[in-house]
Amino acid sequence: MSDTRALAHARGAMKIAEVALAVVCLVVYRHYKLSFGGTDSAATDRYIVGIVTFGGMILVSGPLLLAYIRSPAGIVNYYTPFLEVIYNIIGFVLFLTVGGLVLEHYKGHLKPLTGNEPGVALGAICLINSIIYLIDASLAIKQGIE
């Protein structure tokens, strides 16, 4: 049975925020035709890291959210949170990296780019999502200790 009450807990709210912010990042990136910066091959590498971060973490966090809803007691009683901790730490590192790349591109110039507000917003959203992944990892670690 599904238990949507699990979403009212901190871990459920974290999962919803992770998925929602990753989708927002992807939409903002595509809508404003933003860039991750770099030149030539560096631009390609940055693009791959950025898109893989957005799409990959949606594909990881979405099923974790569904598993959290599906389990009657949340995820707590059904497995050790080791795998989730790994996913959350990877999400933290990836979103921190992409947020830094985007902010470096849109705020790192001596002369500010015109119309760089969506790029700065994207970088900030990525950094916020990285913090949410870090908090979720710490909660999963705490859950594993108890």
mmCIF file of all heavy atoms in Angstrom, residues 18 53 57 61 84-100 126-138:
data_model
loop_
_atom_site.group_PDB
_atom_site.id
_atom_site.type_symbol
_atom_site.label_atom_id
_atom_site.label_comp_id
_atom_site.label_asym_id
_atom_site.label_seq_id
_atom_site.Cartn_x
_atom_site.Cartn_y
_atom_site.Cartn_z
ATOM 1 N N GLU A 18 14.182 17.484 -4.071
ATOM 2 C CA GLU A 18 15.256 17.068 -4.979
ATOM 3 C C GLU A 18 14.745 16.885 -6.407
ATOM 4 O O GLU A 18 15.339 17.399 -7.362
ATOM 5 C CB GLU A 18 15.883 15.760 -4.483
ATOM 6 C CG GLU A 18 16.662 15.893 -3.205
ATOM 7 C CD GLU A 18 16.945 14.569 -2.519
ATOM 8 O OE1 GLU A 18 16.515 13.504 -3.023
ATOM 9 O OE2 GLU A 18 17.604 14.618 -1.466
ATOM 10 N N THR A 53 23.774 15.427 -14.914
ATOM 11 C CA THR A 53 23.374 15.736 -13.541
ATOM 12 C C THR A 53 21.871 15.935 -13.456
ATOM 13 O O THR A 53 21.211 15.325 -12.608
ATOM 14 C CB THR A 53 24.108 16.990 -13.033
ATOM 15 O OG1 THR A 53 25.501 16.717 -13.005
ATOM 16 C CG2 THR A 53 23.625 17.385 -11.647
ATOM 17 N N MET A 57 19.923 12.616 -11.981
ATOM 18 C CA MET A 57 19.407 12.714 -10.621
ATOM 19 C C MET A 57 17.878 12.671 -10.595
ATOM 20 O O MET A 57 17.302 12.246 -9.594
ATOM 21 C CB MET A 57 19.956 13.949 -9.915
ATOM 22 C CG MET A 57 21.465 13.885 -9.675
ATOM 23 S SD MET A 57 22.117 12.293 -9.082
ATOM 24 C CE MET A 57 21.397 12.182 -7.471
ATOM 25 N N SER A 61 16.436 10.018 -8.118
ATOM 26 C CA SER A 61 15.624 10.516 -7.008
ATOM 27 C C SER A 61 14.134 10.238 -7.198
ATOM 28 O O SER A 61 13.410 10.050 -6.220
ATOM 29 C CB SER A 61 15.843 12.017 -6.822
ATOM 30 O OG SER A 61 17.188 12.254 -6.502
ATOM 31 N N GLU A 84 21.174 4.712 -0.598
ATOM 32 C CA GLU A 84 20.608 6.057 -0.680
ATOM 33 C C GLU A 84 21.634 7.111 -0.286
ATOM 34 O O GLU A 84 21.681 8.190 -0.878
ATOM 35 C CB GLU A 84 19.368 6.164 0.197
ATOM 36 C CG GLU A 84 18.657 7.475 0.027
ATOM 37 C CD GLU A 84 17.375 7.553 0.807
ATOM 38 O OE1 GLU A 84 16.993 6.575 1.461
ATOM 39 O OE2 GLU A 84 16.748 8.626 0.754
ATOM 40 N N VAL A 85 22.465 6.807 0.700
ATOM 41 C CA VAL A 85 23.526 7.738 1.093
ATOM 42 C C VAL A 85 24.476 7.966 -0.079
ATOM 43 O O VAL A 85 24.858 9.108 -0.370
ATOM 44 C CB VAL A 85 24.286 7.219 2.340
ATOM 45 C CG1 VAL A 85 25.529 8.056 2.601
ATOM 46 C CG2 VAL A 85 23.388 7.225 3.551
ATOM 47 N N ILE A 86 24.836 6.894 -0.763
ATOM 48 C CA ILE A 86 25.729 7.026 -1.930
ATOM 49 C C ILE A 86 25.082 7.910 -2.993
ATOM 50 O O ILE A 86 25.715 8.817 -3.526
ATOM 51 C CB ILE A 86 26.081 5.645 -2.505
ATOM 52 C CG1 ILE A 86 26.969 4.885 -1.526
ATOM 53 C CG2 ILE A 86 26.783 5.775 -3.856
ATOM 54 C CD1 ILE A 86 27.207 3.450 -1.898
ATOM 55 N N TYR A 87 23.815 7.649 -3.313
ATOM 56 C CA TYR A 87 23.115 8.463 -4.315
ATOM 57 C C TYR A 87 23.050 9.927 -3.887
ATOM 58 O O TYR A 87 23.234 10.825 -4.707
ATOM 59 C CB TYR A 87 21.686 7.955 -4.546
ATOM 60 C CG TYR A 87 21.593 6.674 -5.332
ATOM 61 C CD1 TYR A 87 20.579 5.762 -5.078
ATOM 62 C CD2 TYR A 87 22.493 6.368 -6.343
ATOM 63 C CE1 TYR A 87 20.467 4.580 -5.801
ATOM 64 C CE2 TYR A 87 22.396 5.193 -7.059
ATOM 65 C CZ TYR A 87 21.382 4.303 -6.787
ATOM 66 O OH TYR A 87 21.271 3.147 -7.496
ATOM 67 N N ASN A 88 22.769 10.163 -2.634
ATOM 68 C CA ASN A 88 22.661 11.537 -2.157
ATOM 69 C C ASN A 88 24.007 12.254 -2.180
ATOM 70 O O ASN A 88 24.066 13.446 -2.508
ATOM 71 C CB ASN A 88 22.053 11.573 -0.754
ATOM 72 C CG ASN A 88 20.578 11.279 -0.763
ATOM 73 O OD1 ASN A 88 19.880 11.530 -1.734
ATOM 74 N ND2 ASN A 88 20.083 10.736 0.328
ATOM 75 N N ILE A 89 25.069 11.564 -1.847
ATOM 76 C CA ILE A 89 26.390 12.193 -1.905
ATOM 77 C C ILE A 89 26.779 12.484 -3.348
ATOM 78 O O ILE A 89 27.326 13.554 -3.650
ATOM 79 C CB ILE A 89 27.434 11.319 -1.176
ATOM 80 C CG1 ILE A 89 27.163 11.358 0.323
ATOM 81 C CG2 ILE A 89 28.854 11.788 -1.487
ATOM 82 C CD1 ILE A 89 28.007 10.416 1.142
ATOM 83 N N ILE A 90 26.459 11.565 -4.256
ATOM 84 C CA ILE A 90 26.715 11.821 -5.673
ATOM 85 C C ILE A 90 25.896 13.025 -6.142
ATOM 86 O O ILE A 90 26.396 13.893 -6.860
ATOM 87 C CB ILE A 90 26.405 10.572 -6.518
ATOM 88 C CG1 ILE A 90 27.461 9.497 -6.250
ATOM 89 C CG2 ILE A 90 26.353 10.905 -8.009
ATOM 90 C CD1 ILE A 90 27.140 8.147 -6.850
ATOM 91 N N GLY A 91 24.622 13.097 -5.741
ATOM 92 C CA GLY A 91 23.788 14.246 -6.097
ATOM 93 C C GLY A 91 24.357 15.541 -5.551
ATOM 94 O O GLY A 91 24.368 16.567 -6.234
ATOM 95 N N PHE A 92 24.845 15.500 -4.309
ATOM 96 C CA PHE A 92 25.461 16.682 -3.706
ATOM 97 C C PHE A 92 26.658 17.149 -4.536
ATOM 98 O O PHE A 92 26.760 18.324 -4.900
ATOM 99 C CB PHE A 92 25.891 16.373 -2.268
ATOM 100 C CG PHE A 92 26.846 17.372 -1.687
ATOM 101 C CD1 PHE A 92 26.422 18.651 -1.377
ATOM 102 C CD2 PHE A 92 28.172 17.038 -1.458
ATOM 103 C CE1 PHE A 92 27.305 19.589 -0.846
ATOM 104 C CE2 PHE A 92 29.059 17.951 -0.927
ATOM 105 C CZ PHE A 92 28.631 19.233 -0.627
ATOM 106 N N VAL A 93 27.558 16.234 -4.848
ATOM 107 C CA VAL A 93 28.774 16.592 -5.595
ATOM 108 C C VAL A 93 28.430 17.088 -6.999
ATOM 109 O O VAL A 93 28.970 18.106 -7.462
ATOM 110 C CB VAL A 93 29.748 15.392 -5.649
ATOM 111 C CG1 VAL A 93 30.895 15.649 -6.606
ATOM 112 C CG2 VAL A 93 30.266 15.071 -4.265
ATOM 113 N N LEU A 94 27.520 16.393 -7.679
ATOM 114 C CA LEU A 94 27.176 16.792 -9.051
ATOM 115 C C LEU A 94 26.497 18.158 -9.096
ATOM 116 O O LEU A 94 26.856 19.006 -9.913
ATOM 117 C CB LEU A 94 26.294 15.731 -9.704
ATOM 118 C CG LEU A 94 26.995 14.440 -10.121
ATOM 119 C CD1 LEU A 94 25.982 13.423 -10.625
ATOM 120 C CD2 LEU A 94 28.043 14.712 -11.181
ATOM 121 N N PHE A 95 25.505 18.379 -8.244
ATOM 122 C CA PHE A 95 24.819 19.672 -8.269
ATOM 123 C C PHE A 95 25.726 20.801 -7.792
ATOM 124 O O PHE A 95 25.634 21.922 -8.292
ATOM 125 C CB PHE A 95 23.520 19.632 -7.459
ATOM 126 C CG PHE A 95 22.340 19.177 -8.269
ATOM 127 C CD1 PHE A 95 21.857 17.890 -8.165
ATOM 128 C CD2 PHE A 95 21.723 20.034 -9.161
ATOM 129 C CE1 PHE A 95 20.786 17.455 -8.919
ATOM 130 C CE2 PHE A 95 20.647 19.625 -9.932
ATOM 131 C CZ PHE A 95 20.177 18.329 -9.807
ATOM 132 N N LEU A 96 26.613 20.516 -6.861
ATOM 133 C CA LEU A 96 27.587 21.521 -6.430
ATOM 134 C C LEU A 96 28.519 21.885 -7.590
ATOM 135 O O LEU A 96 28.784 23.068 -7.839
ATOM 136 C CB LEU A 96 28.392 20.985 -5.240
ATOM 137 C CG LEU A 96 29.393 21.940 -4.616
ATOM 138 C CD1 LEU A 96 28.655 23.094 -3.939
ATOM 139 C CD2 LEU A 96 30.254 21.202 -3.609
ATOM 140 N N THR A 97 28.973 20.879 -8.318
ATOM 141 C CA THR A 97 29.853 21.104 -9.463
ATOM 142 C C THR A 97 29.158 21.897 -10.557
ATOM 143 O O THR A 97 29.695 22.885 -11.067
ATOM 144 C CB THR A 97 30.351 19.757 -10.029
ATOM 145 O OG1 THR A 97 31.037 19.051 -8.996
ATOM 146 C CG2 THR A 97 31.262 19.962 -11.216
ATOM 147 N N VAL A 98 27.952 21.474 -10.926
ATOM 148 C CA VAL A 98 27.220 22.156 -12.002
ATOM 149 C C VAL A 98 26.850 23.573 -11.590
ATOM 150 O O VAL A 98 26.969 24.509 -12.386
ATOM 151 C CB VAL A 98 25.977 21.335 -12.416
ATOM 152 C CG1 VAL A 98 25.092 22.117 -13.371
ATOM 153 C CG2 VAL A 98 26.404 20.029 -13.050
ATOM 154 N N GLY A 99 26.437 23.760 -10.349
ATOM 155 C CA GLY A 99 26.136 25.108 -9.866
ATOM 156 C C GLY A 99 27.355 26.006 -9.948
ATOM 157 O O GLY A 99 27.273 27.164 -10.361
ATOM 158 N N GLY A 100 28.501 25.468 -9.572
ATOM 159 C CA GLY A 100 29.748 26.233 -9.679
ATOM 160 C C GLY A 100 30.111 26.558 -11.110
ATOM 161 O O GLY A 100 30.543 27.681 -11.419
ATOM 162 N N CYS A 126 20.912 25.098 -8.455
ATOM 163 C CA CYS A 126 21.773 23.912 -8.377
ATOM 164 C C CYS A 126 22.463 23.826 -7.016
ATOM 165 O O CYS A 126 22.540 22.744 -6.422
ATOM 166 C CB CYS A 126 22.825 23.933 -9.485
ATOM 167 S SG CYS A 126 22.176 23.633 -11.131
ATOM 168 N N LEU A 127 22.951 24.949 -6.520
ATOM 169 C CA LEU A 127 23.619 24.944 -5.211
ATOM 170 C C LEU A 127 22.644 24.624 -4.082
ATOM 171 O O LEU A 127 22.979 23.891 -3.146
ATOM 172 C CB LEU A 127 24.314 26.281 -4.967
ATOM 173 C CG LEU A 127 25.496 26.587 -5.885
ATOM 174 C CD1 LEU A 127 26.087 27.953 -5.558
ATOM 175 C CD2 LEU A 127 26.549 25.502 -5.821
ATOM 176 N N ILE A 128 21.435 25.154 -4.179
ATOM 177 C CA ILE A 128 20.411 24.845 -3.174
ATOM 178 C C ILE A 128 20.086 23.356 -3.199
ATOM 179 O O ILE A 128 19.983 22.713 -2.144
ATOM 180 C CB ILE A 128 19.143 25.702 -3.403
ATOM 181 C CG1 ILE A 128 19.433 27.162 -3.073
ATOM 182 C CG2 ILE A 128 17.963 25.177 -2.585
ATOM 183 C CD1 ILE A 128 18.370 28.127 -3.539
ATOM 184 N N ASN A 129 19.962 22.795 -4.399
ATOM 185 C CA ASN A 129 19.667 21.370 -4.502
ATOM 186 C C ASN A 129 20.820 20.526 -3.958
ATOM 187 O O ASN A 129 20.598 19.485 -3.349
ATOM 188 C CB ASN A 129 19.346 20.980 -5.939
ATOM 189 C CG ASN A 129 18.411 19.788 -6.026
ATOM 190 O OD1 ASN A 129 17.875 19.326 -5.024
ATOM 191 N ND2 ASN A 129 18.218 19.286 -7.219
ATOM 192 N N SER A 130 22.052 20.989 -4.147
ATOM 193 C CA SER A 130 23.184 20.240 -3.602
ATOM 194 C C SER A 130 23.112 20.207 -2.077
ATOM 195 O O SER A 130 23.396 19.172 -1.458
ATOM 196 C CB SER A 130 24.513 20.837 -4.074
ATOM 197 O OG SER A 130 24.796 22.060 -3.440
ATOM 198 N N ILE A 131 22.711 21.306 -1.471
ATOM 199 C CA ILE A 131 22.577 21.348 -0.013
ATOM 200 C C ILE A 131 21.467 20.407 0.452
ATOM 201 O O ILE A 131 21.599 19.715 1.465
ATOM 202 C CB ILE A 131 22.329 22.796 0.464
ATOM 203 C CG1 ILE A 131 23.578 23.636 0.212
ATOM 204 C CG2 ILE A 131 21.910 22.837 1.923
ATOM 205 C CD1 ILE A 131 23.375 25.123 0.374
ATOM 206 N N ILE A 132 20.371 20.352 -0.304
ATOM 207 C CA ILE A 132 19.278 19.443 0.048
ATOM 208 C C ILE A 132 19.754 17.992 -0.026
ATOM 209 O O ILE A 132 19.438 17.173 0.850
ATOM 210 C CB ILE A 132 18.048 19.694 -0.849
ATOM 211 C CG1 ILE A 132 17.445 21.062 -0.508
ATOM 212 C CG2 ILE A 132 17.013 18.594 -0.685
ATOM 213 C CD1 ILE A 132 16.355 21.514 -1.438
ATOM 214 N N TYR A 133 20.537 17.648 -1.058
ATOM 215 C CA TYR A 133 21.081 16.295 -1.151
ATOM 216 C C TYR A 133 22.000 15.987 0.034
ATOM 217 O O TYR A 133 21.984 14.874 0.566
ATOM 218 C CB TYR A 133 21.841 16.090 -2.464
ATOM 219 C CG TYR A 133 20.954 15.658 -3.602
ATOM 220 C CD1 TYR A 133 20.550 16.552 -4.579
ATOM 221 C CD2 TYR A 133 20.529 14.342 -3.724
ATOM 222 C CE1 TYR A 133 19.745 16.163 -5.632
ATOM 223 C CE2 TYR A 133 19.716 13.936 -4.775
ATOM 224 C CZ TYR A 133 19.335 14.854 -5.714
ATOM 225 O OH TYR A 133 18.531 14.450 -6.751
ATOM 226 N N LEU A 134 22.790 16.949 0.457
ATOM 227 C CA LEU A 134 23.688 16.741 1.590
ATOM 228 C C LEU A 134 22.895 16.522 2.886
ATOM 229 O O LEU A 134 23.208 15.621 3.674
ATOM 230 C CB LEU A 134 24.634 17.929 1.744
ATOM 231 C CG LEU A 134 25.674 17.821 2.854
ATOM 232 C CD1 LEU A 134 26.620 16.657 2.585
ATOM 233 C CD2 LEU A 134 26.444 19.127 2.968
ATOM 234 N N ILE A 135 21.859 17.310 3.092
ATOM 235 C CA ILE A 135 21.012 17.136 4.282
ATOM 236 C C ILE A 135 20.322 15.780 4.245
ATOM 237 O O ILE A 135 20.258 15.068 5.261
ATOM 238 C CB ILE A 135 19.987 18.283 4.393
ATOM 239 C CG1 ILE A 135 20.702 19.606 4.666
ATOM 240 C CG2 ILE A 135 18.953 17.983 5.476
ATOM 241 C CD1 ILE A 135 19.808 20.821 4.534
ATOM 242 N N ASP A 136 19.825 15.389 3.074
ATOM 243 C CA ASP A 136 19.166 14.091 2.940
ATOM 244 C C ASP A 136 20.156 12.961 3.216
ATOM 245 O O ASP A 136 19.801 11.960 3.853
ATOM 246 C CB ASP A 136 18.555 13.955 1.543
ATOM 247 C CG ASP A 136 17.541 12.835 1.455
ATOM 248 O OD1 ASP A 136 17.104 12.315 2.501
ATOM 249 O OD2 ASP A 136 17.169 12.470 0.318
ATOM 250 N N ALA A 137 21.395 13.096 2.768
ATOM 251 C CA ALA A 137 22.416 12.083 3.050
ATOM 252 C C ALA A 137 22.670 11.978 4.546
ATOM 253 O O ALA A 137 22.779 10.876 5.094
ATOM 254 C CB ALA A 137 23.715 12.414 2.316
ATOM 255 N N SER A 138 22.733 13.132 5.211
ATOM 256 C CA SER A 138 22.984 13.094 6.654
ATOM 257 C C SER A 138 21.793 12.468 7.401
ATOM 258 O O SER A 138 21.988 11.740 8.384
ATOM 259 C CB SER A 138 23.290 14.487 7.185
ATOM 260 O OG SER A 138 22.169 15.326 7.083
#
